[in-house]
Amino acid sequence: MSYREEVINRVITENPRQPEFHQAVREVLESLGPVIDAHEDMYRRDAILERLTTPDRQIQFRVTWVDDTGHVRVNNGYRVQFNNAIGPYKGGLRLHPTVNRSVMRFLAFEQVFKNSLTGLPIGGAKGGSDFDPKGKSDREIMLFCQSFMSELYKYIGADVDVPAGDIGTGAREIGYMFGTYKRLTNLYTGVLTGKGLTFGGSLVRTEATGYGVLYILEELMKAHGNSVEGKTIAVSGSGNVATYTIEKAYQLGAKPVTCSDSTGWIYDPEGIDLALLKEIKEVRRGRLSAYKAEKPSAEYHEGTYSNGGVWSVKVDIALPCATQNELNLDAAKMLVSNGCIAVVEGANMPTTFEATKYLQGSNVLFIPGKAANAGGVATSALEMSQNSERLSWTFEEVDTRLQTIMKNIYAHISDAAKEYGCPDDFVAGANIAGFLKVSTAMKAQGLY
Ligand code: NDP
Ligand code: 2IT
């Protein structure tokens, strides 16, 4: 059995009932063959893969808060600090009922490679809670965030671990958490990113993940003699990443025609009405069914995957921007039969293992989330830089840096794929490039 297979089996045995974590580890380790296999003895002796797949530390804690009816509620809080070989831990906080140890670990593990690809000095972590923000009042959200931070603050810090947003955690939640951190520690530091613009947040952070997806997509298209302009695009989700993916798609001359949420999906042949989408999601915090009410020409399908879901629409490009494993083998087959040429992941691991293999085997250009959505965390790192020097950069300055970072990521993963004999396999390219930097730093720092 190869060293990589041994470690995959070890991860499965030691972490039972953690399918998302197993999936993420398998995807990375399977693609590291060209690096590891030729020097298996050396990597085995140094236990590099065991160290890379075991988190440095993981914290689980109780979050107790009072709802508007006076009842005490209890949730689980988590922070998985996976690897800080190249910089302080960095990664988002997810608030969603599906959060559990497996989801936290897969996200933290992926973050290690993603953060490495940004070229910036940030290690990998993830956290969150199984708290469901849907339908909660502002007061309930604040009480939850205060309670969550009253435990988390012990384990984070501007040079230790810097959390940020993710599903269910936006500017409002980061604001409440920052206020609590400041009160408890008496420190005004860049301990969280995605902060409001009046208290240390960076311009472009809100847009960064979605814009970054389009910047890397444009690089991919250019490298293949094509362009984003004029393309029809399917987007899933309707949160932070989906919204700014749609915005930049329009700016680059494409037509995004779908979006979705956990209750249904929209097909608007005229192109998604961005102003209406922002009004429904960012202002009203409502459901997508409201879109159809105001734009009767659009189709609304109740149920995220009903009638085939967003991936059944005939498009040139698919950009999954909602959640993990939302694009399965059946969806991949529909995309291929409809002539889709590229899938670029805005979300973390939205494509199943089988669907990824099928797309790649069908010559669909595929960029994994750890490369494609890295613009979010990269801009968070730029927020950290601005906080450290106590200055704020202009929108243009941050956006220009983001564009450069996304171009560099494309070049880096594409070069790594070529160098290791698998051109255009951007899954292998991203994993190999991410791995080489982190493992080199780990070795240089000795055993710990
Ligand atoms: P948001 O909370 O802003 O939006 C999430 C969107 O996905 C919503 O439309 C939500 O629908 C939908 N969704 C969430 N869970 C499910 C589910 N189980 N089934 C169906 N739909 C679901 O989150 P973000 O836009 O920030 O995050 C989206 C993805 O992008 C995640 O994978 C996240 O990890 C990743 N990401 C985010 C970054 C960021 O900067 N925010 C950076 C890099 C990656 P509903 O509103 O109905 O719940
Ligand atoms: O998945 C991610 O990269 C994020 N949710 C953003 C993390 C960050 O620290 O900005």
Side-chain angles (χ1 to χ4, degrees):
M1 192 186 294
S2 78
Y3 173 44
R4 290 179 298 117
E5 284 165 0
E6 265 170 50
V7 176
I8 292 172
N9 289 341
R10 181 180 191 268
V11 167
I12 293 171
T13 312
E14 291 198 347
N15 306 280
R17 296 181 303 283
Q18 296 195 12
E20 293 86 359
F21 182 47
H22 302 166
Q23 182 183 342
V25 168
R26 179 185 295 281
E27 185 221 88
V28 171
L29 266 50
E30 286 203 352
S31 64
L32 291 182
V35 184
I36 304 278
D37 294 357
H39 310 280
E40 218 185 48
D41 289 347
M42 179 189 80
Y43 284 112
R44 192 187 260 118
R45 189 198 61 210
D46 289 345
I48 286 289
L49 293 183
E50 289 87 335
R51 289 158 67 192
L52 198 70
T53 52
T54 307
D56 289 352
R57 185 177 302 105
Q58 46 191 19
I59 298 133
Q60 184 173 348
F61 51 96
R62 190 180 64 244
V63 187
T64 314
W65 55 282
V66 185
D67 70 19
D68 285 347
T69 67
H71 285 85
V72 175
R73 304 277 204 105
V74 177
N75 287 102
N76 293 304
Y78 302 89
R79 186 73 180 165
V80 180
Q81 297 175 333
F82 218 107
N83 187 302
N84 68 352
I86 64 169
Y89 302 108
K90 180 89 197 83
L93 296 170
R94 178 173 292 190
L95 302 182
H96 195 273
T98 55
V99 164
N100 57 34
R101 267 181 287 178
S102 175
V103 169
M104 290 287 97
R105 280 219 196 153
F106 114 65
L107 288 164
F109 179 72
E110 290 283 287
Q111 199 81 41
V112 175
F113 298 86
K114 181 194 305 190
N115 293 3
S116 166
L117 291 174
T118 65
L120 299 167
I122 39 178
K126 198 81 185 191
S129 173
D130 52 10
F131 171 77
D132 186 357
K134 276 205 198 76
K136 302 288 190 299
S137 68
D138 263 4
R139 183 179 165 281
E140 290 174 322
I141 298 282
M142 184 178 72
L143 291 180
F144 170 83
C145 290
Q146 289 176 335
S147 176
F148 182 79
M149 186 51 84
S150 71
E151 180 63 22
L152 185 67
Y153 88 97
K154 298 169 189 168
Y155 310 101
I156 62 176
D159 293 312
V160 180
D161 180 359
V162 182
D166 193 74
I167 291 178
T169 307
R172 173 180 60 169
E173 292 74 19
I174 293 292
Y176 293 147
M177 290 183 196
F178 184 72
T180 310
Y181 183 86
K182 202 182 59 171
R183 182 119 206 250
L184 290 169
T185 61
N186 206 26
L187 294 171
Y188 206 110
T189 60
V191 66
L192 291 161
T193 58
K195 298 184 292 298
L197 296 177
T198 55
F199 55 96
S202 174
L203 287 162
V204 194
R205 178 61 189 90
T206 303
E207 298 86 353
T209 311
Y211 280 19
V213 169
L214 265 293
Y215 292 150
I216 202 166
L217 172 63
E218 185 69 320
E219 287 303 300
L220 175 73
M221 291 286 109
K222 268 201 291 189
H224 293 83
N226 210 329
S227 126
V228 172
E229 196 178 352
K231 298 292 183 295
T232 304
I233 299 184
V235 174
S236 64
S238 52
N240 173 268
V241 179
T243 301
Y244 293 94
T245 291
I246 290 172
E247 183 165 291
K248 187 53 78 176
Y250 276 124
Q251 289 174 13
L252 295 184
K255 184 159 85 162
V257 292
T258 68
C259 63
S260 64
D261 66 13
S262 54
T263 53
W265 62 281
I266 293 284
Y267 170 51
D268 190 338
E270 293 173 3
I272 294 295
D273 183 330
L274 182 61
L276 178 58
L277 180 68
K278 284 188 181 179
E279 164 66 24
I280 293 170
K281 287 293 173 182
E282 293 183 352
V283 181
R284 293 188 228 158
R285 294 182 187 272
R287 313 307 313 157
L288 272 184
S289 46
Y291 186 101
K292 167 80 181 165
E294 294 183 42
K295 193 125 187 302
S297 61
E299 285 175 23
Y300 173 70
H301 301 270
E302 187 76 27
T304 313
Y305 304 106
S306 61
N307 303 321
V310 294
W311 314 126
S312 64
V313 174
K314 182 171 168 47
V315 290
D316 304 308
I317 294 167
L319 306 176
C321 297
T323 194
Q324 63 271 7
N325 292 329
E326 53 162 321
L327 197 168
N328 62 17
L329 185 57
D330 288 342
K333 287 182 177 167
M334 288 190 282
L335 288 170
V336 170
S337 71
N338 280 331
C340 174
I341 57 169
V343 174
V344 174
E345 296 185 324
N348 285 310
M349 207 169 75
T351 313
T352 64
F353 193 73
E354 296 71 29
T356 304
K357 294 271 176 236
Y358 182 82
L359 291 167
Q360 290 185 312
S362 309
N363 293 321
V364 174
L365 296 167
F366 180 90
I367 304 193
K370 66 182 66 122
N373 69 37
V377 74
T379 307
S380 278
L382 301 180
E383 183 171 327
M384 290 165 70
S385 298
Q386 293 168 76
N387 292 166
S388 295
E389 62 176 17
R390 302 194 192 283
L391 291 172
S392 300
W393 304 340
T394 62
F395 191 96
E396 288 66 34
E397 174 155 12
V398 182
D399 191 36
T400 303
R401 284 179 189 254
L402 171 62
Q403 289 182 44
T404 306
I405 288 167
M406 298 314 296
K407 276 188 187 168
N408 289 344
I409 293 176
Y410 180 76
H412 204 165
I413 65 174
S414 165
D415 290 350
K418 271 187 217 134
E419 190 182 333
Y420 284 89
C422 39
D424 278 357
D425 180 345
F426 303 105
V427 172
N431 289 332
I432 290 171
F435 169 79
L436 287 174
K437 181 170 178 186
V438 174
S439 61
T440 305
M442 284 166 70
K443 278 202 224 170
Q445 293 172 40
L447 297 183
Y448 63 87

